[in-house]
Amino acid sequence: MKLTACPMDCFDACEVVYKNGICKPNDDYITNKKLCKNFAYLIQEKNIIDKDLNTTLKKVVAKLKEPNQKVLYYKGSGNMGVMQKIPMVFFEKISATFASGSICDAGGEAGIEMGRKYNVNPSIKDLQSSEVILVWGRNLTQTSAHIYKLIKDKIFITIDPVKTPIAKKSEVFLQIPPKGDYLLAKLLQKALNDENIDINDLIKLNITQEQFNQTVELLTSKKVSVMLGVGAQKYKEGAAIFHEIDKVCDKLNLFDKKNRGVWYLANSAYPFDNKISINPTKTCSYADVKFDDYDVVFIQGANPVISAPNAKYIVESLKNSFVIFMGTTANETSKYADIIIPAKTFLQKKDIRLSYGHDEVIFCELCEENDYAISEYELTSYLFKEFGFEGLLSEDEYLNCFKTKINDKPDIKFIEQDTKNVELLDLKDDEYYLLTSKNTDTINSQFKYDEYAYVHPSRGFIDNQLVTISSKIDSIQIKVKNDERIYSNSILIYAGNKQVNRLTSNEISDCGTNATFQDIKLTVR
């Protein structure tokens, strides 16, 4: 029997027991004897192999040694083990440019650091001791299913443009318009300061006075925790939105010395002496990457053709670059690769699994051998040798960094910053907001994708009707389905849909170099 961990980009980071070729859930308190259906999909995937791997690696070396080249290193989150980052050590040595920032959560993180300095989560035990949990822009039951089971008997308040499963279980559900988070945070601050609230502002946010009063009553009379999701910060002003939400949390005394009451996608490496960490000399924006500005593009564990904004441009840009792709499975991006390096799966290498949702650290043992693929550390070691570089530590030295924590939770001294007002998008009657929520059958671009655009029944569409949806970037043809859970002037296309990012802009956020997927207007015909 060996222990490892689910490698997928998920809050829960479940522990896995491997025995006789079979993976089963461990009974640790987060995983709690159950793995999700996406893990079953992962195990069934067909992985890339290369029976002539040595020749492939020689081609990689020959290409990277060509003189006077601009090299881009672009890393995704296909595997959340810490060793996935080790190639960064090599690419910094050859003066590559690093795609930095995020298409996911960097705007929210910038907003958190604006007032708190640290993006570090409290202990899950603090969450479990709460009476009321405010779920803001986070599809909790689907993106944190295991953590949810630890707190399922709590009182919930949900804020979201979509009536998610957690919204249905909530004492109060505030179905605000997309981008209404900033105004709502301002109104809650006023209420907590005993200032008068303009009823017209509540109407603008689709909130009744009774709902608002009940929310304030629950937040001020019970022990509260807040779980923030990426949905509220998928806008140009995402950092400002999160900072204003944090002001609400501060007024509720949720930053009592240590970060005791607010959760987001935390910096899971904070407590450790992380020897893998690199501060690249050259960077470009991850959310606005221009692949064809580089002679060689090294894409690792990512699928930007589906996941990155402005997908049509991404494809054209890749066509004009020399692409080296490293991953466990073929995907839409690997189709444009000139060289494919098969990466070992989470079962085929030693690693450490941290979580951005909780504090558990899982040491992953080597469970299976595979001579037709290569781990991130093995590739980095090979490249160091071929280039004659020195300074790479042994694999165990890197892994041992995560055996001892050097920091406790940081003390939080919240500092308020002024922010510019964030307005709702000015929509005409025939225009729509775009929502890009997570789907239970998809992790980023992996596994099964939902092929529909979801609309509110009041908009007059027929189920399975083929429509053309357009933005200022591009147009797509897609079938629609009616769904009364959606905010009335919105279109929901789940993240991972193979067309949705043809519509989205590669404009980046004001702070945090994040993608702004939902800051866009759509029309339908």
Side-chain angles (χ1 to χ4, degrees):
M1 185 181 77
K2 295 185 177 182
L3 290 179
T4 186
C6 174
M8 292 187 291
D9 186 3
C10 169
F11 288 94
D12 294 337
C14 292
E15 194 168 58
V16 176
V17 176
Y18 179 90
K19 187 176 181 180
N20 298 328
I22 297 174
C23 291
K24 292 186 177 181
N26 203 359
D27 59 358
D28 78 300
Y29 88 105
I30 298 291
T31 307
N32 197 20
K33 301 180 181 180
K34 188 171 183 180
L35 295 168
C36 70
K37 58 184 175 182
N38 282 327
F39 185 82
Y41 299 152
L42 178 73
I43 294 299
Q44 295 166 8
E45 281 192 313
K46 183 179 179 181
N47 299 118
I48 303 169
I49 62 171
D50 185 346
K51 293 187 177 180
D52 196 10
L53 184 56
N54 286 335
T55 300
T56 298
L57 295 177
K58 288 177 182 177
K59 291 179 181 178
V60 172
V61 170
K63 187 63 184 177
L64 293 176
K65 281 187 172 181
E66 288 181 8
N68 303 318
Q69 291 192 113
K70 291 177 66 179
V71 178
L72 175 70
Y73 176 69
Y74 183 101
K75 190 190 78 63
S77 300
N79 181 311
M80 294 298 291
V82 299
M83 294 304 289
Q84 193 189 26
K85 292 185 177 180
I86 196 67
M88 296 171 69
V89 180
F90 167 77
F91 283 99
E92 176 65 9
K93 285 272 191 183
I94 64 169
S95 299
T97 299
F98 286 63
S100 65
S102 173
I103 54 171
C104 181
D105 61 302
E109 181 174 61
I112 286 170
E113 292 175 346
M114 191 185 298
R116 292 188 237 163
K117 187 177 178 180
Y118 304 101
N119 179 26
V120 178
N121 282 340
S123 165
I124 288 294
K125 296 190 187 306
D126 288 329
L127 182 68
Q128 289 177 279
S129 68
S130 301
E131 298 170 279
V132 172
I133 298 176
L134 172 59
V135 182
W136 199 320
R138 182 163 167 176
N139 195 357
L140 178 61
T141 60
Q142 296 182 317
T143 60
S144 309
H146 292 82
I147 292 174
Y148 167 70
K149 288 181 179 177
L150 300 175
I151 54 174
K152 63 182 179 177
D153 297 326
K154 306 296 181 182
I155 297 170
F156 290 98
I157 303 168
T158 296
I159 300 170
D160 205 290
V162 179
K163 192 171 185 179
T164 57
I166 190 61
K168 294 178 182 178
K169 300 174 185 290
S170 296
E171 188 80 9
V172 183
F173 170 44
L174 305 181
Q175 189 169 23
I176 63 173
K179 213 173 183 178
D181 312 88
Y182 184 92
L183 176 57
L184 177 56
K186 284 289 193 183
L187 296 181
L188 287 171
Q189 290 171 49
K190 281 188 173 183
L192 295 172
N193 288 335
D194 293 324
E195 299 175 26
N196 291 328
I197 302 299
D198 187 339
I199 188 65
N200 291 319
D201 285 333
L202 293 179
I203 292 170
K204 190 185 297 185
L205 291 177
N206 190 41
I207 298 172
T208 66
Q209 185 75 61
E210 181 183 5
Q211 287 176 313
F212 187 78
N213 291 345
Q214 188 179 4
T215 299
V216 174
E217 171 66 21
L218 286 171
L219 292 178
T220 53
S221 63
K222 306 280 187 183
K223 184 176 181 182
V224 176
S225 289
V226 178
M227 301 194 80
L228 300 175
V230 299
Q233 53 89 69
K234 291 182 178 179
Y235 304 99
K236 186 172 175 58
E237 309 94 340
I241 292 170
F242 259 44
H243 184 64
E244 293 300 328
I245 294 173
D246 259 7
K247 288 180 184 178
V248 177
C249 299
D250 182 52
K251 293 183 185 301
L252 293 170
N253 296 315
L254 300 185
F255 306 129
D256 181 14
K257 291 188 177 179
K258 297 186 185 298
N259 187 351
R260 298 177 61 87
V262 187
W263 281 259
Y264 184 52
L265 282 74
N267 175 8
S268 55
Y270 167 79
F272 303 102
D273 179 19
N274 183 3
K275 291 183 170 61
I276 302 173
S277 181
I278 292 290
N279 291 316
T281 305
K282 298 178 184 177
T283 62
C284 67
S285 170
Y286 196 90
D288 184 26
V289 65
K290 297 175 175 60
F291 290 119
D292 50 7
D293 280 352
Y294 301 89
D295 302 299
V296 181
V297 174
F298 190 99
I299 298 176
Q300 179 197 342
N303 190 7
V305 167
I306 299 299
S307 297
N310 200 348
K312 185 177 179 180
Y313 172 77
I314 291 287
V315 169
E316 294 304 316
S317 183
L318 285 172
K319 288 178 181 178
N320 294 321
S321 307
F322 189 96
V323 178
I324 302 172
F325 174 88
M326 183 180 187
T328 57
T329 58
N331 61 28
E332 289 76 11
T333 300
S334 67
K335 295 176 184 177
Y336 300 96
D338 298 278
I339 300 175
I340 294 177
I341 304 172
K344 287 186 174 179
T345 71
F346 73 105
L347 295 172
Q348 297 163 358
K349 59 186 179 182
K350 292 191 292 184
D351 214 332
I352 300 286
R353 179 66 162 97
L354 307 175
S355 169
Y356 48 73
H358 58 73
D359 289 339
E360 298 301 293
V361 179
I362 305 171
F363 289 82
C364 306
E365 298 179 85
L366 175 64
C367 299
E368 297 176 350
E369 297 290 344
N370 183 359
D371 294 331
Y372 302 130
I374 191 168
S375 72
E376 293 85 3
Y377 182 81
E378 289 168 339
L379 175 67
T380 305
S381 179
Y382 175 86
L383 292 172
F384 259 67
K385 182 179 178 181
E386 292 296 316
F387 277 74
F389 294 153
E390 296 180 351
L392 186 69
L393 304 180
S394 71
E395 187 173 30
D396 286 338
E397 284 179 286
Y398 287 113
L399 294 173
N400 288 341
C401 297
F402 300 92
K403 285 188 174 180
T404 304
K405 294 183 179 180
I406 58 172
N407 295 312
D408 191 10
K409 302 289 183 186
D411 287 338
I412 301 297
K413 183 179 179 181
F414 186 77
I415 300 174
E416 286 196 7
Q417 308 285 351
D418 292 332
T419 61
K420 291 183 179 179
N421 189 46
V422 177
E423 299 281 357
L424 300 177
L425 291 182
D426 184 19
L427 297 185
K428 299 175 183 176
D429 290 342
D430 63 344
E431 292 179 324
Y432 297 80
Y433 290 99
L434 172 64
L435 298 173
T436 55
S437 304
K438 298 279 188 181
N439 188 307
T440 53
D441 289 325
T442 308
I443 297 281
N444 299 328
S445 65
Q446 289 181 278
F447 315 131
K448 302 180 180 181
Y449 75 96
D450 188 293
E451 62 185 36
Y452 289 94
Y454 291 86
V455 294
H456 194 273
S458 64
R459 308 302 287 199
F461 293 99
I462 301 169
D463 281 350
N464 290 305
Q465 181 178 357
L466 186 67
V467 301
T468 299
I469 298 179
S470 301
S471 70
K472 63 181 181 180
I473 306 300
D474 201 0
S475 297
I476 63 172
Q477 286 197 318
I478 191 170
K479 291 181 179 180
V480 296
K481 274 191 178 180
N482 286 289
D483 191 336
E484 61 183 9
R485 301 174 307 132
I486 312 297
Y487 196 85
S488 60
N489 61 348
S490 301
I491 295 175
L492 169 62
I493 306 179
Y494 284 108
N497 179 286
K498 297 189 186 304
Q499 295 196 82
V500 63
N501 280 321
R502 289 176 64 95
L503 299 171
T504 54
S505 167
N506 53 355
E507 184 175 8
I508 61 173
S509 56
D510 290 337
C511 302
T513 57
N514 196 50
T516 57
F517 289 112
Q518 295 181 175
D519 221 340
I520 200 158
K521 302 176 187 179
L522 302 179
T523 57
V524 185
R525 60 176 174 82

